């Protein structure tokens, strides 16, 4: 699995061959050899570990602006330079100097990880691949003049624009953004809210923790159930055997790894976790932490919780009415929350020349970091082909893997291969390496220590491929 991420020299040749038509093969072939054989041009890059290589001159010339330096944005910036070569200037616009990984952040809540271990800088992207990193926020897009306006008042012109701004959280259940930040953190974007929620959990004793799950689609389908398990494990071990975790799911069933989480809720964490599917009309009082809702048969219920972590419904960042993404007409899903894309190129179906990847996109694949990394590569490949006057790969394949910790030292996993289905023009789950369309994702047969160990390798490899 780890080898799926890191393009070795041999793999670069294979990727280049698979990715590009004959007119560009010479250039990319040179890229494959360049890391060892050439080091004298202006396009020589070296990182802090003195790893060095030279980007190829593929003959392509273009300015690409990437908005958002998360899982999707960092990956696309890197691969545009690797595959597009030295003539493809890539500017990454990101307001934060450091990215905090959401993946593994539930382990911060259970005290197994320190949040500082989840931080990633943009140093490799700039030093190693020559990506220009601009610390700012995009505030407007002008598709007619092909430029974006930044929070510092400056603007950047582009030939192709890639948006990877992730998600923003909606006011819900009677709560505001200020409530999320100060009293009832969702912590569904790792950072200060993760630390706040961890502190609140550490202050609990034999009390009730309530969490909510919004209707799908939402970021990381197995993530909320993983959170319930880890918090149950932590509370019963460290905060008192009478501790309870109540999961109010607005969906009528578990959304991912059904067998695993059914087992975890009814066996591993039996008596601690109460799973409530089909909850509606959830109301949360941020001052008293009283939670009211209607159960699946419509009966009103009330819980007095010690700590509450709602995961509110979310949408593509900037797609609120009046937001910068909405102003550009890019949030064109039926509910106005997501950006619909052509999954061969991730180009918006609403505005030409603008590509959207990661959680902000509506593309038929789950909103997940591993998937964001894959979408970024399909998008980078498509842009390089389009810049060369060619068409995107007509049959892209992507894979997804996700490990879910169930206790402090055991985990499960979920994996799927996605393949383009020309009939529906969507990415669908495939099996047999993509030969059988219509399959479903596979979950691990057991919850084990081995899975937990492999999870660390998977995570480090994924993050290394995206930011390293
Ligand atoms: C608790 C939790 C656990 C998870 N576990 C897993 C897992 O095990 N496996 C997995 O695959 N996925 C997991 N995920 C999901 C994964 O984190 C997301 O799917 C992934 O981060 C999406 O990547 P993205 O690039 O779209 O968004 P993000 O990673 O959120 O990045 C978006 C970036 O855009 C920037 N940005 C926003 N607005 C602007 C603007 N106007 N201008 C410039 N930049 C902007 C932000 O600052 C941010 O850096 C988990 C998520 C959570 C919350």
């Amino acid at each position: 699995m780890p080898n799926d991420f890191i393009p070795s020299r041999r793999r670069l040749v294979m990727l280049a061959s698979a990715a590009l038509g004959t007119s560009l093969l010479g250039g990319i072939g040179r890229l494959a050899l360049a890391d060892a054989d050439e080091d004298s041009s202006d396009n020589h890059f070296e990182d802090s570990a003195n790893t060095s290589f030279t980007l190829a001159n593929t003959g392509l010339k273009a300015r690409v602006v990437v908005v958002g330096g998360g899982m999707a944005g960092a990956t696309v910036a890197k691969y545009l330079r690797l595959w597009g070569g030295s003539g493809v200037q890539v500017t990454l616009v990101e307001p934060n100097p450091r990215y905090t990984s959401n993946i593994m952040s539930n382990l911060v809540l259970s005290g197994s990880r320190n949040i500082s271990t989840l931080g990633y800088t943009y140093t490799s992207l700039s030093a190693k691949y020559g990506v220009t990193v601009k610390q700012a926020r995009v505030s407007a897009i002008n598709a007619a003049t092909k430029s974006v306006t930044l929070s510092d008042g400056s603007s950047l012109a582009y030939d192709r624009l890639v948006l990877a701004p992730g998600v923003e959280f909606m006011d819900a259940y009677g709560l505001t953004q200020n409530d999320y930040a100060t009293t009832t953190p969702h912590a569904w974007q790792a950072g200060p809210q993760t630390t706040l929620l961890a502190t609140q959990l550490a202050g609990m004793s034999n009390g009730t923790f309530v969490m909510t799950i919004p209707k799908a689609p939402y970021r990381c389908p197995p993530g909320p159930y993983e959170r319930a398990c880890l918090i149950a494990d932590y509370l019963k071990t460290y905060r008192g055997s009478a501790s309870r975790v109540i999961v109010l799911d607005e969906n009528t069933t578990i959304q991912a790894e059904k067998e695993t989480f059914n087992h975890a809720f009814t066996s591993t964490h039996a008596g601690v976790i109460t799973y409530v599917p089909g909850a509606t009309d959830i109301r949360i009082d941020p001052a008293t932490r009283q939670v009211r809702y209607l159960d699946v048969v419509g009966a009103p219920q009330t819980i007095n919780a010690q700590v509450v972590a709602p995961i509110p419904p979310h949408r593509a960042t900037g797609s609120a009415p009046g937001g910068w993404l909405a102003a550009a007409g890019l949030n064109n899903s039926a509910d106005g929350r997501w950006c619909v894309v052509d999954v061969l190129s991730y180009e918006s179906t609403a505005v030409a020349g603008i590509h959207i990847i990661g959680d902000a996109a509506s593309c038929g694949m789950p909103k997940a970091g591993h998937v964001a990394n894959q979408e970024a590569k399909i998008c980078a490949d498509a842009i390089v082909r389009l810049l060369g006057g060619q068409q995107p790969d007509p049959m892209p394949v992507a894979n997804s893997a996700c490990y879910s910790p169930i206790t402090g030292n055991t985990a499960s996993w979920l994996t799927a291969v996605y393949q383009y289905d020309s009939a529906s023009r969507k990415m669908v789950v495939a099996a047999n390496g993509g030969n059988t369309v219509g399959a479903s994702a596979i979950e691990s047969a057991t919850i084990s220590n081995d899975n937990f160990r492999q999870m660390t390798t998977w995570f480090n490899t994924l993050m290394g491929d995206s930011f390293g």
Side-chain angles (χ1 to χ4, degrees):
M1 188 69 67
N3 288 340
D4 286 351
F5 295 117
I6 298 191
S8 63
R9 171 188 300 209
R10 186 191 166 108
R11 188 164 157 72
L12 269 176
V13 175
M14 285 161 50
L15 285 168
S17 309
L20 299 169
T22 45
S23 68
L24 290 173
L25 270 179
I28 291 286
R30 187 165 159 255
L31 167 64
L33 296 171
D35 57 344
D37 303 336
E38 300 177 27
D39 66 356
S40 59
S41 79
D42 291 344
N43 298 303
H44 175 75
F45 296 98
E46 200 166 289
D47 70 359
S48 52
N50 293 330
T51 309
S52 72
F53 53 89
T54 304
L55 291 180
N57 177 5
T58 60
L60 298 177
K61 287 212 178 309
R63 295 157 305 177
V64 183
V65 172
V66 177
V67 178
M71 298 300 298
T75 310
V76 80
K78 167 177 166 177
Y79 280 91
L80 278 166
R81 289 287 289 170
L82 270 175
W83 293 340
S86 58
V88 177
Q89 294 168 30
V90 178
T91 304
L92 175 66
V93 184
E94 163 62 47
N96 301 304
R98 214 172 145 81
Y99 177 73
T100 303
S101 169
N102 300 311
I103 307 178
M104 300 291 137
S105 66
N106 281 330
L107 286 165
V108 176
L109 305 177
S110 57
S112 305
R113 259 194 185 257
N114 190 301
I115 197 154
S116 62
T117 66
L118 300 178
Y120 295 84
T121 70
Y122 300 101
T123 311
S124 279
L125 290 186
S126 55
K128 210 163 156 185
Y129 306 103
V131 172
T132 302
V133 180
K134 179 97 185 148
Q135 202 181 326
R137 190 176 288 280
V138 162
S139 55
I141 299 170
N142 189 333
T145 59
K146 290 195 161 185
S147 66
V148 292
T149 307
L150 309 188
S151 45
D152 61 10
S154 65
S155 61
L156 287 172
Y158 64 80
D159 299 305
R160 291 261 162 193
L161 177 63
V162 184
L163 304 178
V167 299
E168 63 187 21
F169 299 88
M170 296 156 77
D171 291 353
Y173 317 128
L175 302 172
T176 62
Q177 301 299 314
N178 185 54
D179 295 325
Y180 300 144
T182 57
T183 54
T184 45
H186 55 70
W188 216 238
Q189 180 75 52
Q193 289 194 26
T194 313
T195 308
L196 174 61
L197 182 53
T199 306
Q200 291 181 347
L201 291 166
M204 280 182 72
S205 58
N206 273 333
T208 300
F209 167 73
V210 174
M211 57 175 285
T212 69
I213 306 175
K215 270 197 187 305
Y218 59 83
R219 161 176 279 182
C220 192
Y225 311 101
E226 163 191 303
R227 172 175 285 184
C229 289
L230 284 173
I231 291 179
D233 195 48
Y234 169 74
L235 291 180
K236 73 184 181 197
T237 309
Y238 298 109
R239 316 275 14 126
S241 57
S243 303
R244 296 288 174 266
V245 170
I246 300 179
V247 183
L248 301 182
D249 194 342
E250 294 195 80
N251 301 287
T252 52
T253 55
I254 292 173
Q255 296 299 295
E257 295 184 64
K258 267 190 196 143
E259 298 290 326
T260 297
F261 289 117
N262 258 325
H263 178 79
F265 292 174
T266 56
S267 178
T268 318
H269 301 302
V272 182
I273 296 180
T274 303
Y275 175 64
V276 182
T280 55
D281 273 349
I282 299 170
R283 305 296 295 173
I284 298 167
D285 183 326
T288 63
R289 294 185 169 84
Q290 186 177 76
V291 181
R292 287 175 289 123
Y293 66 97
L294 300 181
D295 67 18
V296 74
V297 293
Q301 305 290 346
T302 303
I303 311 166
N304 291 310
Q306 222 176 348
V307 173
V308 182
I311 302 173
H314 26 293
R315 61 188 164 211
T317 300
S319 64
W324 57 273
L325 197 109
L330 290 158
N331 55 331
N332 59 336
S333 67
D335 60 7
R337 285 165 58 192
W338 313 108
C339 305
V340 183
V341 294
D342 174 349
V343 296
L344 294 183
S345 63
Y346 287 84
E347 190 163 1
S348 163
T349 57
V351 186
I354 301 181
H355 304 249
I356 302 109
I357 53 175
D359 287 357
S362 172
C363 69
M365 292 196 285
K367 298 187 185 301
H370 189 126
V371 172
N373 169 287
Q374 300 282 292
E375 292 172 17
K377 290 175 186 168
I378 295 171
C379 177
D381 174 49
I383 288 177
V384 169
R385 290 181 190 237
L386 289 165
L387 292 174
Q390 299 175 27
Q391 290 304 305
D393 177 356
M395 285 302 284
V397 174
N399 81 321
S400 166
C402 189
Y403 283 84
S404 300
I406 304 296
T407 67
N409 59 10
T410 62
S412 63
W413 51 255
L414 178 73
T415 190
V417 171
Y418 292 87
Q419 181 165 36
Y420 182 68
D421 173 37
S422 53
S424 63
R425 299 174 62 88
K426 289 193 168 122
M427 296 297 278
V428 296
V429 179
N432 292 334
N435 291 325
T436 311
V437 172
S440 55
I442 300 166
E443 59 184 289
S444 60
T446 54
I447 297 167
S448 70
N449 300 130
D450 270 359
N451 289 342
F452 196 92
R453 276 191 291 276
Q454 285 165 15
M455 175 178 76
T456 308
T457 306
W458 162 79
F459 174 64
N460 290 338
T461 310
L462 173 63
M463 300 314 281
D465 185 50
S466 301
F467 291 87

